[in-house]
Amino acid sequence: MKRTAFGLSAMLVSFLLGTVIALGSLVAMGGKLDSAALTAFSVPTLLVACLVACLDPLAILLEIVAIVLIAVDSRQVGGLHRRLAWAAAILFVIWAVANVAGFVPLSFVGMRRGALALVKAGQLVKAGAALLQYSVPFLMIFGLTCKWPRVLLWLALVMTAIGNFGVVVLPISGMQLAPIELPGQTMYAPRFAVDYGAGVYPFLLGMGYIGGALYLVVYAFLTWRTWRSVSTGEGP
């Protein structure tokens, strides 16, 4: 189970990095997201850019490492855990393909042609694919849990799915396109403004953060328990 222990550790660090990115970006932008402000040169904008550029790829890489290690090592436990661990790996691949083959081309073509419908469709594909990603950490370890960790896992899945999906989907309806003159062509950049301190956003953000915290608790517990089993030579 040593590979599982390493995988759980990698996923735990990935969760922590994701939390730093989300909270850091929210605080840096003063609880508001304005695409126009993101293009301006300012300290908050630089901080957000650094957080995303430096930490996000590392968080995704660690998640991939965790999925591979846990899925490969799942044969030692077998049964439900093995099936769900590989289901998590498949869903992660589908999420990646949906972003590369759906979100990216739809957004690019829409921005090039000034087609708002295509850009919105790309955002909806991204949001729908994110629902798959939210279930990955749930499926990866569900078969390793019982009693209170399993209850927390269900709560984490429901809260992150509802909260994060709502935060991503709601701004799409108010999205607009603004022309940007580039050498030899005109591109149309998405423009939107969201006040996360108003409306239902505080409730949705709260659900998302609480769900993420519950995932952290369960993963921290399983990481500790698995490393203890490895060190003592106990079975899975």
Side-chain angles (χ1 to χ4, degrees), residues 14-39:
S14 178
F15 272 128
L16 291 172
L17 290 177
T19 302
V20 170
I21 294 171
L23 288 176
S25 301
L26 186 65
V27 172
M29 299 305 295
K32 297 180 180 181
L33 177 60
D34 190 337
S35 58
L38 290 176
T39 61

Side-chain angles (χ1 to χ4, degrees), residues 67-103:
I67 292 171
V68 171
L69 290 175
I70 293 175
V72 170
D73 209 33
S74 64
R75 68 179 183 274
Q76 294 196 43
V77 178
L80 178 64
H81 172 56
R82 187 176 187 181
R83 293 192 296 271
L84 294 183
W86 280 105
I90 292 171
L91 289 182
F92 186 86
V93 171
I94 295 174
W95 166 79
V97 171
N99 276 280
V100 174
F103 165 67

Side-chain angles (χ1 to χ4, degrees), residues 14-226:
S14 178
F15 272 128
L16 291 172
L17 290 177
T19 302
V20 170
I21 294 171
L23 288 176
S25 301
L26 186 65
V27 172
M29 299 305 295
K32 297 180 180 181
L33 177 60
D34 190 337
S35 58
L38 290 176
T39 61
F41 184 84
S42 64
V43 173
T45 300
L46 288 177
L47 179 57
V48 172
C50 288
L51 283 172
V52 174
C54 298
L55 299 184
D56 197 48
L58 179 57
I60 294 177
L61 177 61
L62 286 171
E63 184 176 5
I64 294 173
V65 170
I67 292 171
V68 171
L69 290 175
I70 293 175
V72 170
D73 209 33
S74 64
R75 68 179 183 274
Q76 294 196 43
V77 178
L80 178 64
H81 172 56
R82 187 176 187 181
R83 293 192 296 271
L84 294 183
W86 280 105
I90 292 171
L91 289 182
F92 186 86
V93 171
I94 295 174
W95 166 79
V97 171
N99 276 280
V100 174
F103 165 67
V104 173
L106 284 171
S107 298
F108 179 76
V109 173
M111 291 169 63
R112 188 171 182 178
R113 297 180 179 177
L116 181 60
L118 287 179
V119 176
K120 287 186 175 182
Q123 292 292 329
L124 288 174
V125 169
K126 181 179 180 180
L131 284 175
L132 302 180
Q133 191 186 28
Y134 300 150
S135 65
V136 168
F138 173 87
L139 295 172
M140 282 171 58
I141 62 170
F142 184 82
L144 296 175
T145 63
C146 61
K147 298 181 180 179
W148 67 264
R150 184 164 289 189
V151 173
L152 292 187
L153 269 184
W154 277 112
L155 290 174
L157 174 63
V158 172
M159 297 186 80
T160 53
I162 295 176
N164 294 341
F165 183 75
V167 168
V168 173
V169 166
L170 286 180
I172 295 177
S173 61
M175 182 181 297
Q176 300 294 328
L177 293 180
I180 298 178
E181 297 298 330
L182 299 175
Q185 65 175 327
T186 300
M187 294 288 288
Y188 296 85
R191 289 290 172 87
F192 48 87
V194 181
D195 184 357
Y196 290 120
V200 298
Y201 285 108
F203 174 74
L204 293 174
L205 281 174
M207 289 190 68
Y209 285 131
I210 293 173
L214 293 177
Y215 269 136
L216 276 172
V217 169
V218 178
Y219 268 84
F221 170 74
L222 281 184
T223 301
W224 167 78
R225 191 182 71 178
T226 306

